[in-house]
Structures are given as structure tokens and as C-alpha cells.
Amino acid sequence: MKWKRSIITLVLAAAAFMAPTAVLAEEAKAPAVAATQAAVTSAQAAPVAAPPAEAAPAAAEASKVAEPVLNTGNTAWMLVCAALVLLMLPGLALFYGGMVRSKNVLSTLMHSFVAMGIVGVQWAVIGYSLAFGPDMGGMGLVGDFSRALLNGMISFKDGAPVYTLWQNVTSEPNAIPEYVFAMFQGMFAMITVALISGAMAERVKFSAYCVFVLLWTTLVYDPLAHWVWMVDGWLFKKGALDFAGGTVVHLSSGISALAFLIFLGKRHGFPHERMAPHNLSMTMLGVGLLWFGWFGFNAGSAVVGVNNVDAAGGLAGLAFATTTIAPAAGGLAWMIAEWIHAGRPSALGFGSGVVAGLVGITPAAGFVQPGAAIIIGLGAGVICYLGVLMKAKLKYDDSLDAFGVHGVGGTFGALVTGVFATVGATGLLSGNVSQFITQVIGVVSAGAYAFIVTLVIAFILDKTIGLRVEKEDEIMGLDQTQHSESAYN
């Protein structure tokens, strides 16, 4: 047990070292996604009535400061980040696809790719408006329909297009086109629902999955994004910290995966039949693509950092650094824990630890310094490993550990953000107990909402079109029975 005491001593020492190095910003507010309706305005605003002559210079100066100005550097950076996040979908497809049996490879790949199609259209038609439109009803729960079909982002003056710009409400004029912001956020919506597919692999009907993707994104993801990432969202107003999606993306998807399993049931033969991954080389390639794309996921979220007027500036650099450090620590922690527990380290274990570290750092990426990122990565690796082991004891069939990694890791990351935050906000180690309490409220409320709504969706689908394929189809494999294809000839 000496190694356990050594690890505990190391963690406590590092935590004590971190506390006095707090770097405080002027405001302790979440720099995740700020309100579009409060910050969005036209690049060429219509003239207004002139103020009195004596007030004209001051008014003109104030108007000059308030008017957004397109920043081409920020725009280029956000275009790259959006593309990087989209690349995570093929990465996730390979990560999940390698872990299933060969008869279900294409089916598993399709779960990630079809989410790109369904959510890509849903986001443009209604999703963006529900998530980032002006608040409906003043309760901070969901946006209105003013941005449906991405309405109002372009106008014409003398036949020339004028693009609506988006900027953080706390920053100086330094904006990007709202189209770019909308697409960046759309990539988040795509991958979030695709994460859930890891729990239902090898036995879910493709038709039921497609309907689930549409309903879940509309009823769960879009409202949660509004709660946490809009200035008029109720959790944003409470000061909940979620830099890039620990609560909105990982906690919600992991908890929803667990809820869906209640109605889906176990795979035929689980847990007695061996269901080994068919191609771990594919899975490890997926890990690399996920880590690569995650830099856009986390560093790109600096676009709305408090007091950060440059999306490609210092806060993005911090998020990039922590997104390098935490998954490295997570991979090592999972590998060592598995080495001690099972006797040998595995490639799948290291890769899973990297993903766990990425999940853990996501809500904290721009709020913590590198020392804390190491601790978060180590903690996520060990805790998610234990979360996966819990599956065997509780006997639920989370095929590819969506809950064990994303549900457990997202919860851990959201909570420790309220402990280690020192940049732009203060956490428990800096004496801010209320921030940790706010994080707990955010985790409980978002988790409960996602779980309950997912239960309702799964119940309705189960009683109407059905969730599971027939036993014979499952034994034959979903590639043939759902898609009439085979991954390998």
C-alpha cells in the first residue's frame, strides 16, 4: 500500500503548491459561450439619431468602441478549430469501430457519421436558435426561434452582402462572423450525441438510433447549451464554469447513455461470451485523431474568454497547453492503474486513459494552470478506469464505456474545475467555496435533466418503433442486417 500513500502525498503537495499561484481575472464568470443576441450586431450598423452637439464627441467615441470590427486572424483561427472538431467525428468512429466485433464495424462507424448528417441539418434549421438564440420566456432555459434556419446573419446593402458579426460581450471590438461561431458550435452538437452511440453498439436498430439523434439533440443538448453557455442561461447566471463542454458535452452524453441502456438491455451473450475488440490498431488511430481534434475543441473555446479580446491569444494558448498535459497524464495513470490491477499494461488502456484525460480537462481547460492539469489528468485516468471496472460489478452492458469514460470523467472534470480554477475564476483551493457548490448544482441539474429526458425518449421509441434488432439479426451482425454490407470481404 506504500504506492497509494505516495500518490496521495504527491497529490496533496501539488494541490498545496497550486493554491497560492492563483491568477485572478477581473470577473469570475464562465468564458464558455456568451450570448449571441447580446453581442451580435451588424458590421455596418444603421445610423441613429445624432446626439446633442456638446455630447457628440463622447457619444461618437462610445459608438466606435461598441461597434464590432471583423478580426481576420480570429476568423481564420476559428475556421481551423471548427474543422478540427469535425475531424473528431471520424476519429470517434475509428475509436469505437475498432472496439466492436468485425460483424458490427460499419454499423458502429455509421453511428458517428450519420450524426454529422442529422445534426448538421437540425443545427441549421432549429438547433442553433434553441441553443444560442435570445432567451425564450426569460427563464434561462432555451432560446427562441429568431435564429431558425440561421436567419438574420446576412443582409444586403446596395446589393452587397453584409455579414452579422459575433463577439464576446465583455471584449473590445474584435469580432468573427456569426456564421463561423454557429458552425463551430454545431460541431460540438454533432459529436456529443455520437458519444452516446458507444453504449448502444452492436444491438440498436439503425432507424431507432437516427430518430434518437434528432430528438436527443433537440430536447437535451440544445437546452443544456443554453443553460450553461448563454449569458441569459440560468446556470451561466449562477456562475457555473464549463470552458468547453464538460457538463454540456461529456456529462450529458455519459449520463444519457446510462439511461438509454435501461430500455435497450444487454447484448446477446453478455457478459459470458467473449466480445473482444476486432482491430485495436483502428482504435489507437482514432485516439490520435481525437486528441488532435480536441485542440480545436478546447483551444477554440477561448473565442469567448472573459477579458480576452483575441480568440487566438493567450487563453487559447493556455487551453492548448492543458489539453496536451492532461491527456498525457491520463494515459499514464490508466496504464499504471491497469498494470497494478491486471498485471499488464494494454494499448487500449493507454488510449482510453488519454480520452479520459481529455474529458476531464475539457471543462477546466482555460481555468487552470499546467500543474492542476497534471492532477486532473491523473485523477481522470484512475477514476475512469474504476468507472469501467464498475460495469462488471453492476452488470450493465455499456458496450464501449460511454458512461464509464464520458459520464464519470465529465462529472469529475466539472467538479474539480470548481476546485483548481485560478485563471478567470477562483475555486475551492483559492478559498472560493461557493464556486464548488455552483459546480455541484450544475452537475446535478444537468445530469438529472439529461437522464430523465433520455428515459422518456427511450421509452417512447421502445414502445413505438422498437430499440433493439431481433436476436437473429444481432447474432448475424448489424453490418449485414441493418446495412446489407460487410466491412471485410
Side-chain angles (χ1 to χ4, degrees):
M1 302 298 291
K2 291 182 178 180
W3 63 270
K4 293 184 178 180
R5 289 194 295 269
S6 299
I7 292 176
I8 294 173
T9 302
L10 176 62
V11 171
L12 292 176
F17 175 77
M18 286 295 302
T21 61
V23 178
L24 305 180
E26 296 178 4
E27 301 180 32
K29 296 182 179 179
V33 182
T36 13
Q37 85 278 14
V40 172
T41 183
S42 173
Q44 299 180 10
V48 295
E54 62 274 12
E61 183 64 23
S63 176
K64 181 179 179 182
V65 171
E67 183 180 350
V69 176
L70 178 67
N71 184 295
T72 55
N74 284 350
T75 301
W77 167 241
M78 293 311 301
L79 288 169
V80 170
C81 287
L84 285 172
V85 179
L86 183 66
L87 182 64
M88 294 173 70
L89 269 297
L92 182 67
L94 292 174
F95 180 67
Y96 279 167
M99 287 194 282
V100 298
R101 290 167 289 181
S102 58
K103 61 184 179 181
N104 297 312
V105 180
L106 293 179
S107 170
T108 303
L109 296 179
M110 277 293 286
H111 289 163
S112 292
F113 279 96
V114 78
M116 298 166 73
I118 296 173
V119 181
V121 174
Q122 184 271 355
W123 189 253
V125 173
I126 194 174
Y128 177 72
S129 192
L130 293 177
F132 297 107
D135 191 66
M136 181 188 298
M139 299 179 64
L141 299 178
V142 70
D144 64 14
F145 299 101
S146 63
R147 281 292 190 260
L149 292 172
L150 302 184
N151 179 56
M153 297 188 189
I154 188 171
S155 60
F156 294 89
K157 182 176 182 180
D158 299 327
V162 178
Y163 298 97
T164 300
L165 301 182
W166 183 92
Q167 68 177 29
N168 183 12
V169 293
T170 63
S171 69
E172 297 176 4
N174 211 357
I176 64 174
E178 190 178 357
Y179 278 129
V180 176
F181 175 76
M183 292 301 99
F184 175 69
Q185 292 299 331
M187 309 308 178
F188 280 60
M190 290 179 192
I191 196 169
T192 301
V193 71
L195 292 173
I196 304 174
S197 69
M200 57 184 75
E202 300 195 301
R203 62 202 187 276
V204 69
K205 282 185 179 179
F206 186 68
S207 58
Y209 175 75
C210 289
V211 177
F212 173 78
V213 167
L214 179 61
L215 293 177
W216 190 88
T217 303
T218 304
L219 300 178
V220 178
Y221 181 84
D222 296 343
L224 287 180
H226 191 84
W227 292 10
V228 177
W229 284 340
M230 285 289 287
V231 290
D232 51 10
W234 76 273
L235 280 177
F236 187 97
K237 289 179 179 178
K238 289 187 70 67
L241 303 178
D242 188 359
F243 190 81
T247 301
V248 178
V249 175
H250 299 291
L251 168 65
S252 69
S253 61
I255 292 293
S256 296
L258 190 62
F260 196 89
L261 292 176
I262 294 175
F263 289 96
L264 185 63
K266 303 173 184 177
R267 286 170 290 179
H268 176 70
F270 180 89
H272 308 294
E273 182 181 331
R274 187 169 184 267
M275 300 178 182
H278 90 285
N279 190 338
L280 285 179
S281 298
M282 180 186 294
T283 294
M284 296 306 288
L285 177 60
V287 171
L289 289 175
L290 283 171
W291 196 347
F292 181 68
W294 223 293
F295 288 116
F297 200 88
N298 285 0
S301 294
V303 66
V304 287
V306 173
N307 297 321
N308 182 75
V309 299
D310 191 353
L315 188 58
L318 173 63
F320 196 102
T322 57
T323 306
T324 302
I325 296 166
L332 293 175
W334 187 305
M335 182 183 73
I336 293 171
E338 184 181 41
W339 207 336
I340 294 172
H341 176 259
R344 294 180 181 179
S346 69
L348 179 59
F350 181 81
S352 298
V354 167
V355 175
L358 288 166
V359 171
I361 198 60
T362 291
F367 292 119
V368 302
Q369 297 180 66
I374 295 175
I375 299 173
I376 292 173
L378 292 173
V382 173
I383 289 174
C384 289
Y385 177 67
L386 296 176
V388 171
L389 293 180
M390 182 174 62
K391 178 175 66 173
K393 294 185 178 297
L394 299 181
K395 294 182 171 58
Y396 63 90
D397 187 10
D398 180 3
S399 307
L400 307 179
D401 300 316
F403 172 72
V405 174
H406 298 279
V408 174
T411 301
F412 171 77
L415 293 177
V416 297
T417 299
V419 175
F420 292 109
T422 56
V423 181
T426 54
L428 191 61
L429 288 181
S430 299
N432 189 359
V433 178
S434 63
Q435 184 61 64
F436 181 76
I437 295 174
T438 298
Q439 296 301 106
V440 173
I441 293 172
V443 165
V444 172
S445 57
Y449 177 79
F451 189 86
I452 293 171
V453 177
T454 303
L455 278 180
V456 174
I457 295 173
F459 173 80
I460 293 174
L461 292 178
D462 188 44
K463 298 303 179 183
T464 52
I465 63 177
L467 294 179
R468 288 193 66 146
V469 299
E470 297 295 332
K471 178 180 177 181
E472 294 76 13
D473 292 345
E474 183 180 336
I475 294 173
M476 183 180 296
L478 272 60
D479 289 0
Q480 284 290 341
T481 60
Q482 297 293 294
H483 307 289
S484 298
E485 296 176 303
S486 178
Y488 306 106
N489 296 315

